[in-house]
mmCIF file of all heavy atoms in Angstrom:
data_model
loop_
_atom_site.group_PDB
_atom_site.id
_atom_site.type_symbol
_atom_site.label_atom_id
_atom_site.label_comp_id
_atom_site.label_asym_id
_atom_site.label_seq_id
_atom_site.Cartn_x
_atom_site.Cartn_y
_atom_site.Cartn_z
ATOM 1 N N LYS L 1 81.112 101.414 81.552
ATOM 2 C CA LYS L 1 80.028 100.460 81.802
ATOM 3 C C LYS L 1 79.740 99.632 80.552
ATOM 4 O O LYS L 1 79.667 98.398 80.599
ATOM 5 C CB LYS L 1 78.767 101.180 82.263
ATOM 6 C CG LYS L 1 77.619 100.267 82.533
ATOM 7 C CD LYS L 1 76.373 101.039 83.031
ATOM 8 C CE LYS L 1 75.211 100.100 83.256
ATOM 9 N NZ LYS L 1 74.018 100.828 83.676
ATOM 10 N N LYS L 2 79.631 100.280 79.402
ATOM 11 C CA LYS L 2 79.353 99.622 78.133
ATOM 12 C C LYS L 2 80.454 98.603 77.768
ATOM 13 O O LYS L 2 80.129 97.527 77.293
ATOM 14 C CB LYS L 2 79.221 100.677 77.024
ATOM 15 C CG LYS L 2 79.045 100.138 75.629
ATOM 16 C CD LYS L 2 78.969 101.261 74.626
ATOM 17 C CE LYS L 2 78.896 100.724 73.192
ATOM 18 N NZ LYS L 2 78.926 101.801 72.200
ATOM 19 N N HIS L 3 81.711 98.979 77.983
ATOM 20 C CA HIS L 3 82.788 98.125 77.538
ATOM 21 C C HIS L 3 83.386 97.272 78.659
ATOM 22 O O HIS L 3 84.372 96.512 78.414
ATOM 23 C CB HIS L 3 83.905 98.997 76.910
ATOM 24 C CG HIS L 3 83.455 99.687 75.674
ATOM 25 N ND1 HIS L 3 83.241 99.048 74.483
ATOM 26 C CD2 HIS L 3 83.138 100.989 75.433
ATOM 27 C CE1 HIS L 3 82.836 99.889 73.569
ATOM 28 N NE2 HIS L 3 82.754 101.091 74.138
ATOM 29 N N GLY L 4 82.864 97.363 79.880
ATOM 30 C CA GLY L 4 83.338 96.518 80.964
ATOM 31 C C GLY L 4 84.740 96.868 81.432
ATOM 32 O O GLY L 4 85.633 96.018 81.476
ATOM 33 N N ALA L 5 84.947 98.162 81.771
ATOM 34 C CA ALA L 5 86.246 98.629 82.259
ATOM 35 C C ALA L 5 86.059 99.367 83.569
ATOM 36 O O ALA L 5 84.954 99.760 83.911
ATOM 37 C CB ALA L 5 86.925 99.532 81.211
ATOM 38 N N VAL L 6 87.154 99.563 84.293
ATOM 39 C CA VAL L 6 87.100 100.268 85.578
ATOM 40 C C VAL L 6 88.099 101.394 85.588
ATOM 41 O O VAL L 6 89.050 101.416 84.858
ATOM 42 C CB VAL L 6 87.378 99.314 86.775
ATOM 43 C CG1 VAL L 6 86.295 98.250 86.885
ATOM 44 C CG2 VAL L 6 88.747 98.669 86.690
ATOM 45 N N TYR L 7 87.800 102.343 86.501
ATOM 46 C CA TYR L 7 88.722 103.443 86.789
ATOM 47 C C TYR L 7 89.155 103.300 88.209
ATOM 48 O O TYR L 7 88.300 103.119 89.133
ATOM 49 C CB TYR L 7 87.986 104.764 86.560
ATOM 50 C CG TYR L 7 88.758 105.990 87.050
ATOM 51 C CD1 TYR L 7 90.052 106.255 86.644
ATOM 52 C CD2 TYR L 7 88.148 106.895 87.895
ATOM 53 C CE1 TYR L 7 90.722 107.375 87.081
ATOM 54 C CE2 TYR L 7 88.808 108.024 88.349
ATOM 55 C CZ TYR L 7 90.105 108.252 87.962
ATOM 56 O OH TYR L 7 90.789 109.371 88.383
ATOM 57 N N LEU L 8 90.450 103.324 88.432
ATOM 58 C CA LEU L 8 91.036 103.146 89.766
ATOM 59 C C LEU L 8 91.700 104.461 90.183
ATOM 60 O O LEU L 8 92.395 105.083 89.381
ATOM 61 C CB LEU L 8 92.030 102.005 89.725
ATOM 62 C CG LEU L 8 91.484 100.694 89.209
ATOM 63 C CD1 LEU L 8 92.613 99.666 88.975
ATOM 64 C CD2 LEU L 8 90.436 100.106 90.148
ATOM 65 N N CYS L 9 91.510 104.838 91.425
ATOM 66 C CA CYS L 9 92.045 106.095 91.925
ATOM 67 C C CYS L 9 93.265 105.844 92.785
ATOM 68 O O CYS L 9 93.230 105.048 93.711
ATOM 69 C CB CYS L 9 91.009 106.833 92.736
ATOM 70 S SG CYS L 9 89.508 107.246 91.811
ATOM 71 N N ALA L 10 94.336 106.572 92.471
ATOM 72 C CA ALA L 10 95.555 106.583 93.283
ATOM 73 C C ALA L 10 95.530 107.848 94.154
ATOM 74 O O ALA L 10 94.888 108.829 93.795
ATOM 75 C CB ALA L 10 96.790 106.576 92.401
ATOM 76 N N MET L 11 96.184 107.795 95.270
ATOM 77 C CA MET L 11 96.200 108.910 96.194
ATOM 78 C C MET L 11 97.086 110.039 95.679
ATOM 79 O O MET L 11 98.302 109.847 95.478
ATOM 80 C CB MET L 11 96.669 108.473 97.564
ATOM 81 C CG MET L 11 96.626 109.592 98.591
ATOM 82 S SD MET L 11 97.270 109.094 100.192
ATOM 83 C CE MET L 11 96.259 107.719 100.571
ATOM 84 N N GLY L 12 96.505 111.194 95.399
ATOM 85 C CA GLY L 12 97.263 112.334 95.015
ATOM 86 C C GLY L 12 98.132 112.833 96.157
ATOM 87 O O GLY L 12 97.741 112.705 97.336
ATOM 88 N N GLY L 13 99.322 113.350 95.852
ATOM 89 C CA GLY L 13 100.194 113.862 96.894
ATOM 90 C C GLY L 13 101.022 112.780 97.571
ATOM 91 O O GLY L 13 101.752 113.083 98.536
ATOM 92 N N ALA L 14 100.921 111.538 97.125
ATOM 93 C CA ALA L 14 101.653 110.467 97.750
ATOM 94 C C ALA L 14 102.552 109.769 96.748
ATOM 95 O O ALA L 14 102.653 108.547 96.734
ATOM 96 C CB ALA L 14 100.659 109.461 98.384
ATOM 97 N N GLY L 15 103.215 110.539 95.895
ATOM 98 C CA GLY L 15 104.018 109.995 94.837
ATOM 99 C C GLY L 15 105.177 109.138 95.314
ATOM 100 O O GLY L 15 105.541 108.163 94.660
ATOM 101 N N ALA L 16 105.729 109.454 96.493
ATOM 102 C CA ALA L 16 106.857 108.657 97.029
ATOM 103 C C ALA L 16 106.351 107.299 97.462
ATOM 104 O O ALA L 16 107.028 106.281 97.278
ATOM 105 C CB ALA L 16 107.529 109.393 98.168
ATOM 106 N N ILE L 17 105.172 107.250 98.041
ATOM 107 C CA ILE L 17 104.587 105.965 98.457
ATOM 108 C C ILE L 17 104.300 105.133 97.209
ATOM 109 O O ILE L 17 104.624 103.958 97.173
ATOM 110 C CB ILE L 17 103.312 106.186 99.294
ATOM 111 C CG1 ILE L 17 103.685 106.820 100.647
ATOM 112 C CG2 ILE L 17 102.566 104.854 99.526
ATOM 113 C CD1 ILE L 17 102.504 107.304 101.455
ATOM 114 N N ALA L 18 103.735 105.752 96.213
ATOM 115 C CA ALA L 18 103.437 105.046 94.961
ATOM 116 C C ALA L 18 104.729 104.459 94.358
ATOM 117 O O ALA L 18 104.761 103.315 93.928
ATOM 118 C CB ALA L 18 102.760 105.983 93.943
ATOM 119 N N ALA L 19 105.786 105.237 94.396
ATOM 120 C CA ALA L 19 107.061 104.792 93.809
ATOM 121 C C ALA L 19 107.583 103.534 94.521
ATOM 122 O O ALA L 19 108.198 102.682 93.883
ATOM 123 C CB ALA L 19 108.099 105.902 93.879
ATOM 124 N N SER L 20 107.308 103.419 95.786
ATOM 125 C CA SER L 20 107.791 102.256 96.541
ATOM 126 C C SER L 20 107.093 100.961 96.099
ATOM 127 O O SER L 20 107.576 99.856 96.377
ATOM 128 C CB SER L 20 107.627 102.441 98.045
ATOM 129 O OG SER L 20 106.262 102.382 98.439
ATOM 130 N N CYS L 21 105.963 101.070 95.386
ATOM 131 C CA CYS L 21 105.221 99.925 94.905
ATOM 132 C C CYS L 21 105.524 99.586 93.448
ATOM 133 O O CYS L 21 104.935 98.663 92.889
ATOM 134 C CB CYS L 21 103.726 100.171 95.049
ATOM 135 S SG CYS L 21 103.174 100.423 96.734
ATOM 136 N N ILE L 22 106.434 100.328 92.852
ATOM 137 C CA ILE L 22 106.794 100.080 91.442
ATOM 138 C C ILE L 22 108.170 99.412 91.447
ATOM 139 O O ILE L 22 109.173 100.006 91.880
ATOM 140 C CB ILE L 22 106.800 101.397 90.636
ATOM 141 C CG1 ILE L 22 105.356 101.987 90.669
ATOM 142 C CG2 ILE L 22 107.266 101.136 89.211
ATOM 143 C CD1 ILE L 22 105.257 103.361 90.072
ATOM 144 N N LYS L 23 108.215 98.197 90.942
ATOM 145 C CA LYS L 23 109.426 97.384 91.026
ATOM 146 C C LYS L 23 110.342 97.478 89.820
ATOM 147 O O LYS L 23 111.532 97.223 89.938
ATOM 148 C CB LYS L 23 109.053 95.936 91.326
ATOM 149 C CG LYS L 23 108.273 95.795 92.635
ATOM 150 C CD LYS L 23 109.027 96.421 93.781
ATOM 151 C CE LYS L 23 108.221 96.509 95.040
ATOM 152 N NZ LYS L 23 108.807 97.324 96.067
ATOM 153 N N SER L 24 109.784 97.807 88.665
ATOM 154 C CA SER L 24 110.623 98.012 87.494
ATOM 155 C C SER L 24 109.944 98.971 86.518
ATOM 156 O O SER L 24 108.710 99.073 86.505
ATOM 157 C CB SER L 24 110.941 96.680 86.788
ATOM 158 O OG SER L 24 109.817 96.132 86.193
ATOM 159 N N VAL L 25 110.754 99.646 85.739
ATOM 160 C CA VAL L 25 110.270 100.629 84.762
ATOM 161 C C VAL L 25 111.141 100.519 83.515
ATOM 162 O O VAL L 25 112.354 100.454 83.604
ATOM 163 C CB VAL L 25 110.371 102.069 85.309
ATOM 164 C CG1 VAL L 25 109.913 103.079 84.297
ATOM 165 C CG2 VAL L 25 109.589 102.223 86.601
ATOM 166 N N GLU L 26 110.466 100.526 82.357
ATOM 167 C CA GLU L 26 111.178 100.504 81.080
ATOM 168 C C GLU L 26 110.478 101.457 80.130
ATOM 169 O O GLU L 26 109.251 101.387 79.901
ATOM 170 C CB GLU L 26 111.131 99.077 80.514
ATOM 171 C CG GLU L 26 111.651 98.946 79.124
ATOM 172 C CD GLU L 26 111.351 97.605 78.486
ATOM 173 O OE1 GLU L 26 110.700 96.743 79.131
ATOM 174 O OE2 GLU L 26 111.788 97.389 77.351
ATOM 175 N N VAL L 27 111.215 102.435 79.584
ATOM 176 C CA VAL L 27 110.659 103.321 78.570
ATOM 177 C C VAL L 27 110.471 102.469 77.312
ATOM 178 O O VAL L 27 111.414 101.838 76.830
ATOM 179 C CB VAL L 27 111.576 104.504 78.275
ATOM 180 C CG1 VAL L 27 111.036 105.326 77.106
ATOM 181 C CG2 VAL L 27 111.726 105.387 79.518
#
């Protein structure tokens, strides 16, 4: 609240669905 940031929740147990929304990854 002080710094103007948010916390967003992803659905636990749905890692495969999450992966389908990730288009590129770079270490």
